[in-house]
Amino acid sequence: MDHALIGEAVNIPINDSVPVISISPVIVPAPGRIVDLQIRVSAPATGDNLPIILLSHGHGLSNHLSSLNGYSPLINFWAAHGFVVIQPTHLSSKSLSLKAPPGQSLFWRSRAEDMKHIIDQLDHIEASFPNLKGRLDKTRIAVAGHSMGGNTASLLLGQTLVDPEDGTVVNLTEPRIKAGVLLTPPGNGGADLSAFAFENYTFFRHPNFAEMKTPALVVIGDNDSLLHLNVRGADWHADPYSLSPGPKSLLTLFGATHGLGGISGYDVAETTDESPERVAVVQRLTWAYLRSELYPEDPAWSNACAALEKLKTVGQVESK
């Protein structure tokens, strides 16, 4: 059920919800990985030919949210409204506390490889989840990511970067992914980075969004100023929209900070702008965007945007 305090977000149309089933951890074979790849799979209890969202968690300060145990407000909503959601615990997770190899800070490459590997192993995942067997539509796959997870999603959608170890251009585009949602993703490198980010997150130095051609929705907060990462302010997070080719959309949430109202978990300490209404807007707009991108005949996105236009204090959408 919707939270009683979602305010004007209740006016953004959605489909009917159904109960959600979830299983974790599911172990996905990944030879050569430092530790087993563990995932959570959440799905609607009913329905067939279900589209898939792969969710990449952020980094963050919390002990548990940067893992398959985070992002319940998004996971539960997306699954209740018709998506199968698969979320891995990346090697960068605080729950693992692993030291990254040189040039691989935050395990940036491994994170993208995790998502590709999950797609490779969808048959295995189905077999591990009897209530899901035969219900996946493997032709309709989307990726979503928050913060550092937004970088992971950007790479899968076509963003490139320069490998800080050998100077080569890295292209990790995944053509099986048809659409994406980037939640407060990292922006441009170079002089836009803080001294700390330039020194410690060397893979951030030279991103290139010019080939990020897969359709995507970028979601930012206009009060999201991560001074430890960039020197520009909130608009830095919009670069994956501004610097990439269309089709793209940008959702700007008024008053939002990096947690977008609390998407990483219920009542978590790291959320500085706690708002059930804001979370509900993110839930509904991201759901509607992916519905219409994966099913072009579905008017969910245009309907949601029309509703948002009437909510002048909540946020705005622009597209190209």
Side-chain angles (χ1 to χ4, degrees), residues 144-178:
H146 176 228
S147 192
M148 181 58 191
N151 181 79
T152 302
S154 291
L155 292 173
L156 295 167
L157 297 174
Q159 176 209 325
T160 62
L161 55 75
V162 175
D163 190 307
E165 284 296 287
D166 60 21
T168 59
V169 174
V170 178
N171 186 334
L172 296 170
T173 307
E174 176 48 70
R176 292 172 292 183
I177 293 175
K178 306 305 181 185

Side-chain angles (χ1 to χ4, degrees), residues 215-239:
L217 170 65
V218 179
V219 184
I220 68 169
D222 66 359
N223 280 344
D224 183 12
S225 297
L226 295 184
L227 299 180
H228 70 291
L229 292 183
N230 77 95
V231 298
R232 277 177 39 203
D235 72 320
W236 181 67
H237 298 284
D239 285 348

Side-chain angles (χ1 to χ4, degrees), residues 202-258:
T202 52
F203 65 97
F204 276 163
R205 291 179 180 177
H206 303 289
N208 186 341
F209 299 100
E211 296 300 317
M212 199 175 82
K213 298 177 180 178
T214 308
L217 170 65
V218 179
V219 184
I220 68 169
D222 66 359
N223 280 344
D224 183 12
S225 297
L226 295 184
L227 299 180
H228 70 291
L229 292 183
N230 77 95
V231 298
R232 277 177 39 203
D235 72 320
W236 181 67
H237 298 284
D239 285 348
Y241 170 79
S242 304
L243 302 178
S244 68
K248 297 290 188 301
S249 293
L250 175 68
L251 168 62
T252 302
L253 297 172
F254 302 146
T257 60
H258 201 60

